[in-house]
Amino acid sequence: MRFVVISLLFNVYWFSAALGPPSFQWLMVAMLLGAILYDRSVMWAIAVLTPVGLVGDSLLLHTQWLAVEAEYVVMPLWLLLLWLGFCSFAWLMRELILARAFWFMAALGSLGGASSYWAGERLGVLSFPESIWVTGAVLIGTWLVYSIILINLMQWLQHQLDVRSAATRREP
């Protein structure tokens, strides 16, 4: 049930970014705060996981594999918020993600992540300056790299939090 609720909430979050920039950004911020209140370790996940997507998507934008109409310095605010929300969602789903075979989850992340850009392109939030086939291959490869890095970082962060929790329990 937890998986269904969190997944539905993330879809509301994603559609707020895809359909509503900038009118729904307040909702995205409120949902991020809700995720942090639900599980405070989300703050650690945001700090550790989000830079992967911010750096990667900034490169995709600046090398013109992706195009958006909005003016931005590094990336549009809606895309920054989307990465914050995605990393929060992934962290809240970490038990499910980390319990599955690594390469299965990396492949699933590769296809799922790339398809979200395709959906964003279909909704008119971004465009692909190159053909859909070439861009699709680049996005699948990019998301395979993102997935591998993110899963490894989630494993590392979970270990760090487990060690910290164990040390706290042992203190008198």
Side-chain angles (χ1 to χ4, degrees):
M1 182 63 159
R2 181 175 184 257
F3 170 77
V4 171
V5 170
I6 292 172
S7 295
L8 287 173
L9 288 171
F10 178 71
N11 280 302
V12 169
Y13 190 92
W14 188 91
F15 276 105
S16 296
L19 297 175
S23 59
F24 285 119
Q25 289 174 355
W26 66 269
L27 178 60
M28 296 171 75
V29 170
M31 291 178 78
L32 273 173
L33 292 173
I36 291 168
L37 291 173
Y38 176 74
D39 180 346
R40 296 213 190 265
S41 68
V42 165
M43 291 186 298
W44 289 106
I46 287 172
V48 171
L49 304 177
T50 304
V52 173
L54 298 183
V55 169
D57 277 7
S58 293
L59 289 171
L60 289 172
L61 287 165
H62 290 285
T63 57
Q64 298 182 345
W65 283 104
L66 300 176
V68 294
E69 292 185 20
E71 292 291 320
Y72 60 90
V73 176
V74 177
M75 70 175 40
L77 179 59
W78 64 266
L79 189 53
L80 166 72
L81 288 169
L82 191 52
W83 268 105
L84 293 169
F86 172 74
C87 290
S88 300
F89 164 75
W91 184 250
L92 291 172
M93 302 308 301
R94 71 188 177 276
E95 291 173 9
L96 180 99
I97 293 167
L98 298 178
R100 304 294 183 274
F102 180 90
W103 288 107
F104 172 76
M105 292 309 296
L108 189 62
S110 176
L111 296 174
S115 68
S116 72
Y117 291 74
W118 180 78
E121 191 268 343
R122 292 283 159 223
L123 292 170
V125 178
L126 55 87
S127 61
F128 303 147
E130 298 295 327
S131 77
I132 190 145
W133 299 107
V134 172
T135 303
V138 167
L139 290 174
I140 288 170
T142 299
W143 266 91
L144 179 60
V145 172
Y146 286 170
S147 297
I148 291 168
I149 294 169
L150 291 171
I151 293 167
N152 278 302
L153 286 173
M154 289 171 67
Q155 290 171 333
W156 174 82
L157 183 56
Q158 183 64 56
H159 175 73
Q160 298 304 310
L161 293 174
D162 290 346
V163 168
R164 184 175 171 190
S165 177
T168 302
R169 285 190 299 250
R170 279 185 272 168
E171 292 178 5

PDB file of all heavy atoms in Angstrom, residues 86 103-117 136-148 151:
ATOM      1  N   PHE A  86      12.141  13.602  -7.343  1.00  0.00           N
ATOM      2  CA  PHE A  86      12.477  12.242  -7.767  1.00  0.00           C
ATOM      3  C   PHE A  86      13.401  11.575  -6.753  1.00  0.00           C
ATOM      4  O   PHE A  86      13.203  10.410  -6.398  1.00  0.00           O
ATOM      5  CB  PHE A  86      13.126  12.229  -9.157  1.00  0.00           C
ATOM      6  CG  PHE A  86      13.651  10.873  -9.509  1.00  0.00           C
ATOM      7  CD1 PHE A  86      12.780   9.856  -9.861  1.00  0.00           C
ATOM      8  CD2 PHE A  86      15.012  10.595  -9.434  1.00  0.00           C
ATOM      9  CE1 PHE A  86      13.259   8.579 -10.143  1.00  0.00           C
ATOM     10  CE2 PHE A  86      15.492   9.327  -9.720  1.00  0.00           C
ATOM     11  CZ  PHE A  86      14.621   8.317 -10.075  1.00  0.00           C
ATOM     12  N   TRP A 103      21.130  -5.030 -11.320  1.00  0.00           N
ATOM     13  CA  TRP A 103      21.057  -4.768 -12.758  1.00  0.00           C
ATOM     14  C   TRP A 103      19.623  -4.687 -13.259  1.00  0.00           C
ATOM     15  O   TRP A 103      19.335  -3.971 -14.218  1.00  0.00           O
ATOM     16  CB  TRP A 103      21.891  -5.774 -13.545  1.00  0.00           C
ATOM     17  CG  TRP A 103      23.337  -5.479 -13.330  1.00  0.00           C
ATOM     18  CD1 TRP A 103      24.218  -6.207 -12.582  1.00  0.00           C
ATOM     19  CD2 TRP A 103      24.058  -4.341 -13.806  1.00  0.00           C
ATOM     20  NE1 TRP A 103      25.447  -5.593 -12.571  1.00  0.00           N
ATOM     21  CE2 TRP A 103      25.373  -4.437 -13.317  1.00  0.00           C
ATOM     22  CE3 TRP A 103      23.722  -3.240 -14.595  1.00  0.00           C
ATOM     23  CZ2 TRP A 103      26.347  -3.491 -13.594  1.00  0.00           C
ATOM     24  CZ3 TRP A 103      24.697  -2.299 -14.868  1.00  0.00           C
ATOM     25  CH2 TRP A 103      25.996  -2.423 -14.371  1.00  0.00           C
ATOM     26  N   PHE A 104      18.717  -5.391 -12.609  1.00  0.00           N
ATOM     27  CA  PHE A 104      17.304  -5.259 -12.966  1.00  0.00           C
ATOM     28  C   PHE A 104      16.823  -3.843 -12.676  1.00  0.00           C
ATOM     29  O   PHE A 104      16.156  -3.215 -13.501  1.00  0.00           O
ATOM     30  CB  PHE A 104      16.458  -6.289 -12.202  1.00  0.00           C
ATOM     31  CG  PHE A 104      14.986  -6.075 -12.373  1.00  0.00           C
ATOM     32  CD1 PHE A 104      14.342  -6.437 -13.556  1.00  0.00           C
ATOM     33  CD2 PHE A 104      14.231  -5.496 -11.359  1.00  0.00           C
ATOM     34  CE1 PHE A 104      12.980  -6.221 -13.729  1.00  0.00           C
ATOM     35  CE2 PHE A 104      12.871  -5.276 -11.527  1.00  0.00           C
ATOM     36  CZ  PHE A 104      12.248  -5.644 -12.709  1.00  0.00           C
ATOM     37  N   MET A 105      17.162  -3.338 -11.490  1.00  0.00           N
ATOM     38  CA  MET A 105      16.726  -1.989 -11.122  1.00  0.00           C
ATOM     39  C   MET A 105      17.410  -0.929 -11.982  1.00  0.00           C
ATOM     40  O   MET A 105      16.789   0.078 -12.341  1.00  0.00           O
ATOM     41  CB  MET A 105      16.978  -1.731  -9.635  1.00  0.00           C
ATOM     42  CG  MET A 105      16.102  -2.564  -8.714  1.00  0.00           C
ATOM     43  SD  MET A 105      14.323  -2.524  -9.075  1.00  0.00           S
ATOM     44  CE  MET A 105      13.931  -0.816  -8.794  1.00  0.00           C
ATOM     45  N   ALA A 106      18.675  -1.151 -12.333  1.00  0.00           N
ATOM     46  CA  ALA A 106      19.377  -0.199 -13.207  1.00  0.00           C
ATOM     47  C   ALA A 106      18.723  -0.163 -14.587  1.00  0.00           C
ATOM     48  O   ALA A 106      18.516   0.914 -15.159  1.00  0.00           O
ATOM     49  CB  ALA A 106      20.856  -0.557 -13.307  1.00  0.00           C
ATOM     50  N   ALA A 107      18.374  -1.326 -15.118  1.00  0.00           N
ATOM     51  CA  ALA A 107      17.706  -1.389 -16.428  1.00  0.00           C
ATOM     52  C   ALA A 107      16.320  -0.745 -16.354  1.00  0.00           C
ATOM     53  O   ALA A 107      15.930   0.022 -17.249  1.00  0.00           O
ATOM     54  CB  ALA A 107      17.601  -2.835 -16.904  1.00  0.00           C
ATOM     55  N   LEU A 108      15.582  -1.033 -15.295  1.00  0.00           N
ATOM     56  CA  LEU A 108      14.263  -0.437 -15.111  1.00  0.00           C
ATOM     57  C   LEU A 108      14.377   1.081 -14.992  1.00  0.00           C
ATOM     58  O   LEU A 108      13.589   1.827 -15.596  1.00  0.00           O
ATOM     59  CB  LEU A 108      13.595  -1.032 -13.867  1.00  0.00           C
ATOM     60  CG  LEU A 108      12.138  -0.691 -13.628  1.00  0.00           C
ATOM     61  CD1 LEU A 108      11.271  -1.205 -14.769  1.00  0.00           C
ATOM     62  CD2 LEU A 108      11.687  -1.302 -12.307  1.00  0.00           C
ATOM     63  N   GLY A 109      15.352   1.556 -14.228  1.00  0.00           N
ATOM     64  CA  GLY A 109      15.580   2.992 -14.098  1.00  0.00           C
ATOM     65  C   GLY A 109      15.952   3.631 -15.415  1.00  0.00           C
ATOM     66  O   GLY A 109      15.525   4.748 -15.729  1.00  0.00           O
ATOM     67  N   SER A 110      16.739   2.917 -16.210  1.00  0.00           N
ATOM     68  CA  SER A 110      17.153   3.412 -17.516  1.00  0.00           C
ATOM     69  C   SER A 110      15.946   3.645 -18.420  1.00  0.00           C
ATOM     70  O   SER A 110      15.802   4.714 -19.028  1.00  0.00           O
ATOM     71  CB  SER A 110      18.108   2.393 -18.153  1.00  0.00           C
ATOM     72  OG  SER A 110      18.471   2.780 -19.442  1.00  0.00           O
ATOM     73  N   LEU A 111      15.068   2.665 -18.491  1.00  0.00           N
ATOM     74  CA  LEU A 111      13.885   2.791 -19.346  1.00  0.00           C
ATOM     75  C   LEU A 111      12.863   3.761 -18.768  1.00  0.00           C
ATOM     76  O   LEU A 111      12.291   4.584 -19.498  1.00  0.00           O
ATOM     77  CB  LEU A 111      13.257   1.414 -19.560  1.00  0.00           C
ATOM     78  CG  LEU A 111      14.130   0.406 -20.304  1.00  0.00           C
ATOM     79  CD1 LEU A 111      13.466  -0.961 -20.317  1.00  0.00           C
ATOM     80  CD2 LEU A 111      14.445   0.887 -21.711  1.00  0.00           C
ATOM     81  N   GLY A 112      12.640   3.676 -17.461  1.00  0.00           N
ATOM     82  CA  GLY A 112      11.671   4.574 -16.829  1.00  0.00           C
ATOM     83  C   GLY A 112      12.097   6.026 -16.872  1.00  0.00           C
ATOM     84  O   GLY A 112      11.287   6.916 -17.172  1.00  0.00           O
ATOM     85  N   GLY A 113      13.362   6.275 -16.587  1.00  0.00           N
ATOM     86  CA  GLY A 113      13.857   7.648 -16.618  1.00  0.00           C
ATOM     87  C   GLY A 113      13.789   8.246 -18.006  1.00  0.00           C
ATOM     88  O   GLY A 113      13.303   9.371 -18.197  1.00  0.00           O
ATOM     89  N   ALA A 114      14.250   7.491 -19.001  1.00  0.00           N
ATOM     90  CA  ALA A 114      14.214   7.977 -20.386  1.00  0.00           C
ATOM     91  C   ALA A 114      12.777   8.219 -20.839  1.00  0.00           C
ATOM     92  O   ALA A 114      12.488   9.210 -21.530  1.00  0.00           O
ATOM     93  CB  ALA A 114      14.917   6.991 -21.312  1.00  0.00           C
ATOM     94  N   SER A 115      11.862   7.344 -20.443  1.00  0.00           N
ATOM     95  CA  SER A 115      10.469   7.509 -20.869  1.00  0.00           C
ATOM     96  C   SER A 115       9.835   8.756 -20.258  1.00  0.00           C
ATOM     97  O   SER A 115       8.931   9.344 -20.852  1.00  0.00           O
ATOM     98  CB  SER A 115       9.645   6.266 -20.550  1.00  0.00           C
ATOM     99  OG  SER A 115       9.492   6.102 -19.161  1.00  0.00           O
ATOM    100  N   SER A 116      10.305   9.179 -19.081  1.00  0.00           N
ATOM    101  CA  SER A 116       9.736  10.397 -18.494  1.00  0.00           C
ATOM    102  C   SER A 116      10.106  11.630 -19.327  1.00  0.00           C
ATOM    103  O   SER A 116       9.324  12.569 -19.430  1.00  0.00           O
ATOM    104  CB  SER A 116      10.170  10.559 -17.035  1.00  0.00           C
ATOM    105  OG  SER A 116      11.528  10.909 -16.947  1.00  0.00           O
ATOM    106  N   TYR A 117      11.282  11.618 -19.951  1.00  0.00           N
ATOM    107  CA  TYR A 117      11.659  12.730 -20.837  1.00  0.00           C
ATOM    108  C   TYR A 117      10.821  12.689 -22.110  1.00  0.00           C
ATOM    109  O   TYR A 117      10.423  13.735 -22.623  1.00  0.00           O
ATOM    110  CB  TYR A 117      13.146  12.657 -21.204  1.00  0.00           C
ATOM    111  CG  TYR A 117      14.064  12.951 -20.051  1.00  0.00           C
ATOM    112  CD1 TYR A 117      14.246  12.032 -19.032  1.00  0.00           C
ATOM    113  CD2 TYR A 117      14.761  14.148 -19.986  1.00  0.00           C
ATOM    114  CE1 TYR A 117      15.090  12.283 -17.980  1.00  0.00           C
ATOM    115  CE2 TYR A 117      15.612  14.419 -18.933  1.00  0.00           C
ATOM    116  CZ  TYR A 117      15.766  13.481 -17.924  1.00  0.00           C
ATOM    117  OH  TYR A 117      16.603  13.742 -16.874  1.00  0.00           O
ATOM    118  N   GLY A 136      16.606   9.219 -27.802  1.00  0.00           N
ATOM    119  CA  GLY A 136      16.172   8.112 -26.950  1.00  0.00           C
ATOM    120  C   GLY A 136      17.329   7.235 -26.529  1.00  0.00           C
ATOM    121  O   GLY A 136      17.438   6.853 -25.358  1.00  0.00           O
ATOM    122  N   ALA A 137      18.219   6.918 -27.457  1.00  0.00           N
ATOM    123  CA  ALA A 137      19.395   6.104 -27.128  1.00  0.00           C
ATOM    124  C   ALA A 137      20.287   6.831 -26.132  1.00  0.00           C
ATOM    125  O   ALA A 137      20.789   6.226 -25.168  1.00  0.00           O
ATOM    126  CB  ALA A 137      20.164   5.757 -28.393  1.00  0.00           C
ATOM    127  N   VAL A 138      20.478   8.139 -26.338  1.00  0.00           N
ATOM    128  CA  VAL A 138      21.297   8.936 -25.408  1.00  0.00           C
ATOM    129  C   VAL A 138      20.650   8.956 -24.026  1.00  0.00           C
ATOM    130  O   VAL A 138      21.331   8.781 -23.005  1.00  0.00           O
ATOM    131  CB  VAL A 138      21.517  10.368 -25.950  1.00  0.00           C
ATOM    132  CG1 VAL A 138      22.082  11.291 -24.878  1.00  0.00           C
ATOM    133  CG2 VAL A 138      22.433  10.337 -27.167  1.00  0.00           C
ATOM    134  N   LEU A 139      19.334   9.149 -23.976  1.00  0.00           N
ATOM    135  CA  LEU A 139      18.641   9.211 -22.683  1.00  0.00           C
ATOM    136  C   LEU A 139      18.636   7.861 -21.964  1.00  0.00           C
ATOM    137  O   LEU A 139      18.806   7.805 -20.740  1.00  0.00           O
ATOM    138  CB  LEU A 139      17.220   9.728 -22.860  1.00  0.00           C
ATOM    139  CG  LEU A 139      17.104  11.204 -23.235  1.00  0.00           C
ATOM    140  CD1 LEU A 139      15.656  11.572 -23.535  1.00  0.00           C
ATOM    141  CD2 LEU A 139      17.675  12.091 -22.137  1.00  0.00           C
ATOM    142  N   ILE A 140      18.467   6.786 -22.702  1.00  0.00           N
ATOM    143  CA  ILE A 140      18.521   5.452 -22.072  1.00  0.00           C
ATOM    144  C   ILE A 140      19.913   5.217 -21.493  1.00  0.00           C
ATOM    145  O   ILE A 140      20.051   4.761 -20.356  1.00  0.00           O
ATOM    146  CB  ILE A 140      18.112   4.351 -23.065  1.00  0.00           C
ATOM    147  CG1 ILE A 140      16.603   4.417 -23.329  1.00  0.00           C
ATOM    148  CG2 ILE A 140      18.507   2.960 -22.551  1.00  0.00           C
ATOM    149  CD1 ILE A 140      16.124   3.526 -24.466  1.00  0.00           C
ATOM    150  N   GLY A 141      20.943   5.558 -22.257  1.00  0.00           N
ATOM    151  CA  GLY A 141      22.316   5.417 -21.753  1.00  0.00           C
ATOM    152  C   GLY A 141      22.583   6.323 -20.561  1.00  0.00           C
ATOM    153  O   GLY A 141      23.204   5.907 -19.571  1.00  0.00           O
ATOM    154  N   THR A 142      22.104   7.557 -20.649  1.00  0.00           N
ATOM    155  CA  THR A 142      22.281   8.505 -19.548  1.00  0.00           C
ATOM    156  C   THR A 142      21.595   7.995 -18.295  1.00  0.00           C
ATOM    157  O   THR A 142      22.167   8.023 -17.201  1.00  0.00           O
ATOM    158  CB  THR A 142      21.712   9.885 -19.941  1.00  0.00           C
ATOM    159  OG1 THR A 142      22.425  10.374 -21.080  1.00  0.00           O
ATOM    160  CG2 THR A 142      21.819  10.880 -18.800  1.00  0.00           C
ATOM    161  N   TRP A 143      20.365   7.500 -18.460  1.00  0.00           N
ATOM    162  CA  TRP A 143      19.636   7.013 -17.300  1.00  0.00           C
ATOM    163  C   TRP A 143      20.177   5.688 -16.771  1.00  0.00           C
ATOM    164  O   TRP A 143      20.022   5.397 -15.579  1.00  0.00           O
ATOM    165  CB  TRP A 143      18.139   6.934 -17.579  1.00  0.00           C
ATOM    166  CG  TRP A 143      17.509   8.210 -17.116  1.00  0.00           C
ATOM    167  CD1 TRP A 143      17.307   9.346 -17.837  1.00  0.00           C
ATOM    168  CD2 TRP A 143      17.083   8.493 -15.785  1.00  0.00           C
ATOM    169  NE1 TRP A 143      16.774  10.310 -17.029  1.00  0.00           N
ATOM    170  CE2 TRP A 143      16.622   9.817 -15.770  1.00  0.00           C
ATOM    171  CE3 TRP A 143      17.041   7.755 -14.612  1.00  0.00           C
ATOM    172  CZ2 TRP A 143      16.118  10.423 -14.621  1.00  0.00           C
ATOM    173  CZ3 TRP A 143      16.539   8.354 -13.477  1.00  0.00           C
ATOM    174  CH2 TRP A 143      16.087   9.676 -13.485  1.00  0.00           C
ATOM    175  N   LEU A 144      20.855   4.939 -17.593  1.00  0.00           N
ATOM    176  CA  LEU A 144      21.537   3.752 -17.079  1.00  0.00           C
ATOM    177  C   LEU A 144      22.669   4.196 -16.147  1.00  0.00           C
ATOM    178  O   LEU A 144      22.809   3.670 -15.036  1.00  0.00           O
ATOM    179  CB  LEU A 144      22.086   2.891 -18.219  1.00  0.00           C
ATOM    180  CG  LEU A 144      22.838   1.629 -17.785  1.00  0.00           C
ATOM    181  CD1 LEU A 144      21.932   0.705 -16.958  1.00  0.00           C
ATOM    182  CD2 LEU A 144      23.394   0.892 -18.992  1.00  0.00           C
ATOM    183  N   VAL A 145      23.415   5.205 -16.572  1.00  0.00           N
ATOM    184  CA  VAL A 145      24.484   5.752 -15.729  1.00  0.00           C
ATOM    185  C   VAL A 145      23.889   6.362 -14.462  1.00  0.00           C
ATOM    186  O   VAL A 145      24.371   6.088 -13.346  1.00  0.00           O
ATOM    187  CB  VAL A 145      25.341   6.778 -16.502  1.00  0.00           C
ATOM    188  CG1 VAL A 145      26.318   7.495 -15.578  1.00  0.00           C
ATOM    189  CG2 VAL A 145      26.080   6.097 -17.654  1.00  0.00           C
ATOM    190  N   TYR A 146      22.840   7.192 -14.599  1.00  0.00           N
ATOM    191  CA  TYR A 146      22.173   7.765 -13.422  1.00  0.00           C
ATOM    192  C   TYR A 146      21.754   6.654 -12.462  1.00  0.00           C
ATOM    193  O   TYR A 146      21.980   6.751 -11.252  1.00  0.00           O
ATOM    194  CB  TYR A 146      20.897   8.523 -13.812  1.00  0.00           C
ATOM    195  CG  TYR A 146      21.021   9.850 -14.467  1.00  0.00           C
ATOM    196  CD1 TYR A 146      19.890  10.452 -15.003  1.00  0.00           C
ATOM    197  CD2 TYR A 146      22.223  10.539 -14.578  1.00  0.00           C
ATOM    198  CE1 TYR A 146      19.947  11.690 -15.624  1.00  0.00           C
ATOM    199  CE2 TYR A 146      22.282  11.770 -15.196  1.00  0.00           C
ATOM    200  CZ  TYR A 146      21.146  12.339 -15.721  1.00  0.00           C
ATOM    201  OH  TYR A 146      21.192  13.569 -16.328  1.00  0.00           O
ATOM    202  N   SER A 147      21.122   5.632 -12.987  1.00  0.00           N
ATOM    203  CA  SER A 147      20.587   4.551 -12.143  1.00  0.00           C
ATOM    204  C   SER A 147      21.694   3.828 -11.399  1.00  0.00           C
ATOM    205  O   SER A 147      21.562   3.550 -10.200  1.00  0.00           O
ATOM    206  CB  SER A 147      19.767   3.572 -12.986  1.00  0.00           C
ATOM    207  OG  SER A 147      18.649   4.214 -13.542  1.00  0.00           O
ATOM    208  N   ILE A 148      22.768   3.520 -12.101  1.00  0.00           N
ATOM    209  CA  ILE A 148      23.893   2.841 -11.445  1.00  0.00           C
ATOM    210  C   ILE A 148      24.450   3.701 -10.315  1.00  0.00           C
ATOM    211  O   ILE A 148      24.659   3.221  -9.195  1.00  0.00           O
ATOM    212  CB  ILE A 148      24.987   2.493 -12.479  1.00  0.00           C
ATOM    213  CG1 ILE A 148      24.482   1.390 -13.419  1.00  0.00           C
ATOM    214  CG2 ILE A 148      26.291   2.077 -11.799  1.00  0.00           C
ATOM    215  CD1 ILE A 148      25.351   1.174 -14.653  1.00  0.00           C
ATOM    216  N   ILE A 151      21.710   4.087  -7.376  1.00  0.00           N
ATOM    217  CA  ILE A 151      21.548   2.879  -6.564  1.00  0.00           C
ATOM    218  C   ILE A 151      22.761   2.696  -5.650  1.00  0.00           C
ATOM    219  O   ILE A 151      22.610   2.386  -4.459  1.00  0.00           O
ATOM    220  CB  ILE A 151      21.311   1.637  -7.445  1.00  0.00           C
ATOM    221  CG1 ILE A 151      19.954   1.741  -8.158  1.00  0.00           C
ATOM    222  CG2 ILE A 151      21.368   0.352  -6.606  1.00  0.00           C
ATOM    223  CD1 ILE A 151      19.763   0.723  -9.280  1.00  0.00           C
TER     224      ILE A 151
END
